[in-house]
Amino acid sequence: MSHSRLTPEEQAQAELAQTEALGPRTARTMVLVFLLIVGLIIPSQWIYEATTGRSFQLLDLFGTPYRAADLAAFEDAVEDASFARTAVQPRLQAWFSQFGGFGNTKTVLGREGWLYYEPGVSHLAGSDPFSPEHLNRRQLAGQRNPDPRPAIQAFHEDLAALGIELILLPIPDKASVHPEFLTRRQTQPFPDPALQRLTDWAEERGIQVLSVEEELFAERSENGTAYLAQDTHWTPVAMERVARFVSQAVILDNPPARTWQQEAQEAIRVGDLVDMLQLVDHQKVFRPEQIRINQIQDEEGQPWDTRANAPVLLLGDSFTNIFHLAEMGWGESAGFGAHLAAALGTDLKQIAINGGGSDATRIELSRMRQGLRNVQTVVWQFSARDLSHGAWPVVRVSLREAEEEDPEETTGETADEHIQIRGRILIGAPTPSLAAPYENARGAFLLEVVSAEGPRHPEVGEEILLQIPLMVERRLRPATRWREGQEISIAVQRGVPSEWSGRELLDETFIFDDRTIYWGLE
Amino acid sequence: MVFSTHFFLFVFLPCVLAVYYLSPMRWRAVVLTGFSYFFYSWTNPWWVVLMATSTVIDYVAGRVIAKGGGAVAIPGEEPVLEIGGHRSRQQKIALAVSIAANLGMLGFFKYAGFLAINANAVAGFLGLSDSMIPVLEVALPVGISFYTFQSMSYTIDVYRGRAPGMRDFSAFACYVALFPQLVAGPIVRYNSVADQLRVRTHTAEKFARGIAMFSLGMSKKILIANPMGHIADASFAAGALNPIDAWYGIMGYALQIYFDFSAYSDMAIGLALMFGFVFPKNFDSPYRADSITDFWRRWHISLSTWLRDYLYIPLGGNRVGPSRTYVNLMIVMLLGGLWHGASWNFVIWGGIHGGMLAFERSQGRDSPYRRLPRPVRIVITFLIVCVAWVFFRADDLPGAMSYLGSMFGLSNTSAGTDLISGVTATPYHLAMFVIALLVVWTMPQSWDYTRRLTPRRAVICLVALVAAILVMWTQTANPFLYFQF
């Protein structure tokens, strides 16, 4: 029977028997090399873990619930812990970046050392975020609250009921202000159509939207750049310009007068987009950028900080935190909030959470009983790309009666007493990505208290909110292995430490109402 | 669990190879079955219940059919039923139960929501809003489209007399669950592995050929398919595109789906060889096809032959006159499209191919098209296939039409449109795009390349594997496209 009349299966058998030029020695050598490649990684990983005092990652399988999501997380953890991967990935990524012009899923490489944040680019190049098709696709992908409009409307109504003015402050993406380093086809800055649609919609409903695109375009035109080359965010000069612009739109009734002074300082580091490439620590592909910031100080020379009873409340994300939050590496107390306060000549209260412009800041505000006390104007800063990618839950806010002094009300202060809690996890937190824009992240877990000891401890059976570090300097913490249904024992204190209050918050269930926040002590 | 991941390569595969080769020969099918169930349960532990149910039903149905009378004794082999012979009512019922059970499972998990949505749409159109059907949101078990077809082919072949019934349940369970081809094929006919389930050789040459196939598959997936996927994903996520970017994006997708799927098949065939099984190749340089008819001789061969043998031929094939032949082609391709997913997009994709198959048949062998130079025919075929891929890739029908509009310059682009080239046209992506085209149009298929496995080729394969592993460690997500089917 000729080959042409054989079934594919018969043909395969016949062809297999005709494997040519494969001598026994070649075959055995090939088998040996292959078995060494696939067989030695894990034993060498065990040796590495044993000699460095780390736990054996594979043994965690026995403590992992046999559920799809948990097993997938376990797989990721095994790969993340691999010393071979850790050794190879940064070096190979550096090679890709240097010679291939290729970043990763978060960082897009432009020309002349410029980097861009991929979600920002995809927002600008993508479809209308307000279109039914776009919203439907996001919902099918699992996003429960893709549409910003109900969230903005509800927030505006709640604030209006309290006599508080709302100002929306969307910050355009870098690629719309500086497209020229990303593609040669677009050399001039251009307005983001989504922002115009947002403005049209909001103005019909009496909601004020401040467009800062023209200010940033003017900054670029006058001074060459409005954004840092390697970072997602604006330059200090551009930020200060926007702060002055915004201050002209804020109208206050008899605000407390404050005098602020400035001190020039230097800051030097590589941008966050370089961090997202996860290169080796002493990489030479990208040189640090040096900038000058103006730290805002009070009359006594103390660096500016948020004030509880300020007439202006600023909700913001990393655009607000940059130059303010020390851990971002670009200085301290020189950020948007500080300069807005200085421009206004009054106090300002700030809730700024990296990555939380569309949701986390309002959620944090909603937990505060007196968060809106004395507030006349709320400036809600978020990133334009959040219109396409952010979560926009409807969060109701109000001014409630103050109870006993609650640490969470005074942003960043915690009670000193330690409480020992044993609790069952009802709702877990997602695992942060090592390629995330920020190197530190915290998570929120909903816990049912099984037992508790210590001063002002929660009651047995009470549901509490536990926040805890999930990622520190791009290293995952043990809490990332916690799963729903699991019982944990941990020491906690009430309130979130100040150094963590601005860091990214990973929160699976967005609305927590009247639950006390405890901070897990590792 | 995905083949091209750290966990599979360095944890699962070494474990299963070690336990398999340390086990006595008579236990190896059981070992392989156990590891295959573990492999499948990793994605969702509950899905193994479905697969086990399908296995038991088809095993019992196969036994009922095989023992139901009409068997022809073959010396040294299991008896088979007489081809074309009489079948008892019991045998017919057993076959019907097997087909109903498999199609029922497939229908429920894959099509129930789609049918309900469309029924509701019709009801709404007719003003029958009170008669709406609740739309269940059911997770689609990975691989169900493949193993149900594979399992059904067993009972059908036993009924037709083309294969003997399997006595050994563990061997049959191994056939259904065999992890190399479980979740994304190739669809392996029982007849082709029946003997191998009982007796198969394990030689260094076979294992080495398996390594070569696996290595080439791994490198195709990691080094080519994934970067092409990046181009395609960015292009399809964008709003309106200019024609160059749109064609670049769809060609990126064409390359992604080919390299992704053929890579999986290569790895599956390679893994099977490591365990002594010989599977047929599933692709034969499909983008070198010079007609759609030729394309379907080269693309997803195991599915197209399954549809031919179990659907097209029973419908009459091409023996029932031209008009009916065209109808049969259309039915097969529409259902083939629907097999890929419960969406009108897939039906349209199938319809385009069915229409082209019917058209080509109607033109005969002396059509003006056949007189064009072969390279021109190949390019035309490739472009038609790319247009059809738009429906395959787009999220929905409006998305597909929008993308087609971009391809033909009918979209309203904006200033942001041009930014997409900054993401998709990096030196790396452009280089991989060119390399992908060169591989597609100039290099031999993996199966053909490994037929002559010289030491030099062996080194190339292993180097490709190592390169793929290194790059794998820089990539975050790595699923195979055909897992969604």
Side-chain angles (χ1 to χ4, degrees), chain A residues 9 13 15-16 18-22 38 41-42 66 68 75 82 89 92 100 102 125-126 137 182-183 185 190, chain B residues 6 10 14 38 41-43 45 192 196 209 238-239 242 245 278 395 418 421 428-429 447 451 453 470 473:
Chain A
E9 293 78 9
Q13 287 282 10
E15 288 179 356
L16 181 71
Q18 292 169 10
T19 304
E20 301 156 26
L22 183 61
V38 300
I41 291 290
I42 295 302
Y66 209 76
E75 256 197 77
S82 164
Q89 187 270 332
L92 199 54
F102 176 56
R137 269 198 295 276
L182 182 58
T183 174
R185 294 191 218 162
F190 59 92
Chain B
H6 181 100
F10 302 120
F38 176 74
S41 74
W42 193 263
T43 314
S192 68
Q196 298 182 66
R209 183 106 185 253
N242 63 54
D245 290 332
V278 181
D395 291 327
D418 289 328
S421 63
Y428 170 68
H429 287 102
W447 182 261
R451 275 188 62 190
L453 205 58
L470 296 178
W473 280 329

Side-chain angles (χ1 to χ4, degrees), chain A residues 439-471:
Chain A
E439 60 178 16
N440 300 303
R442 53 186 160 137
F445 294 81
L446 186 64
L447 241 61
E448 181 185 17
V449 176
V450 174
S451 67
E453 285 178 359
R456 295 198 298 154
H457 65 76
E459 300 301 320
V460 172
E462 183 181 344
E463 290 180 356
I464 63 170
L465 192 63
L466 174 71
Q467 287 192 17
I468 191 165
L470 294 181
M471 180 168 70

Side-chain angles (χ1 to χ4, degrees), chain B residues 265-332:
Chain B
S265 294
D266 289 349
M267 296 173 85
I269 293 168
L271 287 167
L273 282 167
M274 292 182 201
F275 295 102
F277 290 96
V278 181
F279 291 166
K281 64 182 174 185
N282 209 15
F283 291 85
D284 190 10
S285 304
Y287 291 147
R288 289 187 214 172
D290 61 3
S291 67
I292 297 298
T293 305
D294 189 24
F295 177 81
W296 280 102
R297 288 193 207 108
R298 298 164 176 263
W299 178 274
H300 201 175
I301 297 168
S302 65
L303 175 68
S304 59
T305 54
W306 196 102
L307 292 173
R308 179 197 65 199
D309 293 342
Y310 297 107
L311 189 58
Y312 181 65
I313 288 176
L315 284 174
N318 58 6
R319 300 189 303 270
V320 288
S323 302
R324 184 63 191 278
T325 299
Y326 306 148
V327 170
N328 289 344
L329 285 170
M330 202 61 172
I331 290 173
V332 168

Side-chain angles (χ1 to χ4, degrees), chain B residues 80-93:
Chain B
V80 295
L81 298 185
E82 184 183 359
I83 295 175
H86 171 73
R87 301 289 184 261
S88 70
R89 188 160 174 269
Q90 207 175 13
Q91 289 171 315
K92 290 176 184 173
I93 290 174

